[in-house]
Structure formats: structure tokens, C-alpha cells
Amino acid sequence: MSRSRRPRRDSIPPGDRASGRTSLRAETRTTPTAARDALAYATAYHAPVLASAVLDGLVTDRDGVYVDGTLGGGGHSAALLDALSETSLVIGIDQDDEALATARARLSAEEAAGRFRAVKGNFGDLRQLMADVDRPIAGILLDLGVSSHQLDAAERGFAFSASGPLDMRMDPTTGESARDLIARLSADALADVIYQYGEERRSRAIARAVKEAAPETTGELTKAVRQSVPNREETKALARVFQALRIAVNREMDVLEDVLPAALDVLAPGGRLAVIAYHSLEDRRAKQFLRTGRFSATVEKDLYGNPLTPWVPVTRKAIVADEAEITQNPRARSARLRIAQKHLSPPGPSERHPEA
């Protein structure tokens, strides 16, 4: 598949590799130029968000190995390959066979040249998936969103915009579908899922209506949700319920808490991790881990009371898309990008944790 290519840069400013600081501003929105860059990698399958910001913050070694942990249609991988040298390697991971086939077709020339490798798997298993990589890993990207194609394909069951099988599995060949999950859970347990993962305050009423309807399609689920909330709240409630079920079906929060420590383990010293999150549950976990290296509220400290962390922030605050990119790709509106750099060596007792 032909694609518009970003002009290859002669050099990528590495920033202060010891500190992890770059020229990225603390409070940043992407520029109209960044929006055009993103469109250069968009296809009918998926439009990658914040592509320019990802390149600017993630790439420090043009000859290095980079991991696209959520390959999708290959947009971010294509952008990385265009920014890197001919001796680099991009490894794309996805658990969706359709996404893997789409990306491999798009990047077939790079795969033939040994610059791209597609791997089927769940990025929660990152340590095992990277076990045979014999070069230092310079950067990892995790784009936690659902691809445009998955949302738009009614047969995948991710969206309420069209009726289809109530599935929602990222890998449709394995695991429990949303229909089976709803059938298995009690009304109280389903309400807990909707409240915890969708942050929906009407979760009890919605869960009772859904259990009574016993939906087998997204249309039937949509109807049950609409009947249990006021008209003015229908769209937001539907978005929250579908998000909650998708997260539960794919164990997304558990997998996120698996992959972030794994990324820290497999990254080379000085390597960088970029995380694009689309809702507050993911973003809070990513922010906490990229500040402290932990998920708990308790921060490990040295003998002098200074917080210890394996990371140095590259982005002081989350990077979000500007209006130009959002106009071209409305799904970029909720994206929040955070990037951190792994210390070159474990932080010593005199290294203070910077404010985020």
C-alpha cells in the first residue's frame, strides 16, 4: 500500500540524555504542522494520533530498536520508520490478526528489508515477546486506544453507532465476549464493572436493565441503556457502558499494569516510554507509574527522604492534540501523551524527584 511519507530528518535532537529533558514544552498542544504529519500516516483503517509529538519525544537514537506495542494499522510504525535510519528496527505488536495483516501489507517493503517485524501477542506479555531481541531497545510506544477500524466495524461490537454482535474482544479468536460476560455476571457485579471502568453513576439502574434485556447485539444493549437513563444523558451513558465492558472483556487495566513494569525492564538505560491514553483510568495509572515507577500511592524514598524513581520525565504535563488535528481526526480529542526516560543508572540518594 502506498503512503505519504514524512521527510526523513537528518538528525533527531536527543535532548539531555542524562536528565531526560528535551525541548518539548511543559504544557503542550500539537501544532497545525503536527496535524498534517498525522494525516500523512492516516489510512481508511486508522489515523494515528499525535504522531509528530511521539517522534519528537520518543526518538533519541535513529539507529535503534523501537517497539510499537499497539500496532493497529501501522500508522505510528510507519512514522517511526520514516524518522529512523536504514539500520533501525521497529517491532509492532498486536493481538488482532486483521490489524497485523493490514500493517504487514502496508509495511511489506520495510519488513522485507529487515527494518520492521510484526509480532502477534498481547503487550502485557512484553517481556516474553521481546525475549529474542538481541539489540538494546531505545523506545516503546503504547497507544492504548481502540483503532478506528475496530470502532467502525459493526461486526466487532465495539461501538453503539451500529448494531452488530456483542463481542468487543481485541483478539476475536480467544477469551470471553461482552455478551458472555453480561450473561455470566450478576446484576450487582455488572453494575460494579460499569461503575469502576465507566465511572457511570447510574450503573445500578443500567445493570438491571441490561440483565433483564439479556442482549446479544450492540443494538439490544444500546436500547437497554437508553431505557434506563434520561434522554439528555443517553450518549454519555452509552459511551461509558461500552467503554466499561470493553475494558473488562480485554482486561485492559490489568494488562496496563503488566506492561508498564515490563517496559521498564526491557528498555535500555536512557530508553524512553511513550503512553497515549484516552480516558482517566488509563491516564492516572500511566502518570503515576511514569513519575514513580509504582502504582501504589506510597512512594519509595531514600534515607534522606527523597523520592526514588527509575524515570525522568520528558513531558512535564500530558501532550494533547490541537484543534487542527482534532478537526481532521475527532477521535484525537481525548488523547493524552506522556513520555518518560529510563535513568541511565539507578537514582542515587542526592537525586530529587522533579515536580510533575
Side-chain angles (χ1 to χ4, degrees), residues 181-193 204 207-208 211:
L181 177 72
I182 291 169
R184 176 173 61 81
L185 295 179
S186 67
D188 285 343
L190 179 59
D192 289 343
V193 166
R204 299 292 167 192
R208 288 194 295 269
K211 286 297 292 184

Side-chain angles (χ1 to χ4, degrees), residues 40-312:
Y41 296 100
T43 65
Y45 191 94
H46 184 65
V49 304
L50 298 168
S52 183
V54 167
L55 297 181
D56 290 341
L58 185 63
V59 177
T60 59
D61 178 4
R62 294 187 63 241
D63 303 318
V65 176
Y66 289 82
V67 178
D68 183 352
T70 41
L71 178 59
H76 282 120
S77 285
L80 282 167
L81 286 160
D82 281 355
L84 299 173
S85 76
E86 298 301 323
T87 61
S88 65
L89 173 64
V90 173
I91 302 171
I93 300 170
D94 211 293
Q95 54 187 327
D96 186 329
D97 287 322
E98 188 174 6
L100 288 165
T102 299
R104 290 191 68 187
R106 178 181 189 175
L107 302 173
S108 58
E110 287 84 351
E111 186 174 32
R115 297 184 64 227
F116 173 71
R117 183 188 308 170
V119 177
K120 180 172 183 179
N122 187 311
F123 64 44
D125 300 320
L126 186 66
R127 291 184 187 87
Q128 297 93 308
L129 295 173
M130 296 297 104
D132 63 346
V133 178
D134 57 3
R135 294 167 58 186
I137 295 175
I140 298 173
L141 168 65
L142 303 175
D143 180 355
L144 305 178
V146 182
S147 75
S148 301
H149 177 76
Q150 288 171 328
L151 285 171
D152 293 338
E155 66 273 13
R156 300 298 299 271
F158 284 103
F160 53 86
S161 54
S163 186
L166 191 50
D167 196 317
M168 300 192 189
R169 289 173 294 173
M170 298 289 189
D171 179 354
T173 68
T174 187
E176 184 178 48
S177 69
R179 181 196 63 186
D180 295 338
L181 177 72
I182 291 169
R184 176 173 61 81
L185 295 179
S186 67
D188 285 343
L190 179 59
D192 289 343
V193 166
I194 295 171
Y195 182 78
Q196 180 181 0
Y197 295 141
E199 299 178 298
E200 169 54 57
R201 63 188 181 89
R202 297 181 184 274
S203 60
R204 299 292 167 192
I206 291 171
R208 288 194 295 269
V210 170
K211 286 297 292 184
E212 183 176 348
E216 296 194 356
T217 68
T218 56
E220 291 170 357
L221 174 61
T222 297
K223 181 178 179 181
V225 174
R226 289 187 188 278
Q227 292 174 343
S228 59
V229 299
N231 290 345
R232 66 182 182 277
E233 297 182 17
E234 284 181 0
T235 300
K236 288 185 177 180
L238 282 166
R240 291 166 182 156
V241 169
F242 273 71
Q243 171 185 295
L245 291 172
R246 190 202 78 221
I247 289 172
V249 164
N250 296 287
R251 298 179 51 253
E252 291 179 32
M253 292 299 102
D254 293 336
V255 171
L256 181 60
E257 293 193 1
D258 289 338
V259 71
L260 293 177
L264 178 61
D265 287 348
V266 303
L267 273 174
R272 292 185 176 184
L273 172 62
V275 182
I276 303 175
Y278 293 83
H279 56 77
S280 59
L281 295 175
E282 293 172 335
D283 188 52
R284 283 197 296 266
R285 282 169 169 79
K287 178 181 178 181
Q288 174 75 7
F289 190 83
L290 292 178
R291 289 182 63 194
T292 67
R294 300 162 68 93
F295 294 109
S296 64
T298 303
V299 178
E300 186 179 3
K301 297 182 179 180
D302 64 20
L303 295 176
Y304 300 95
N306 299 317
L308 294 173
T309 172
W311 299 107
V312 178

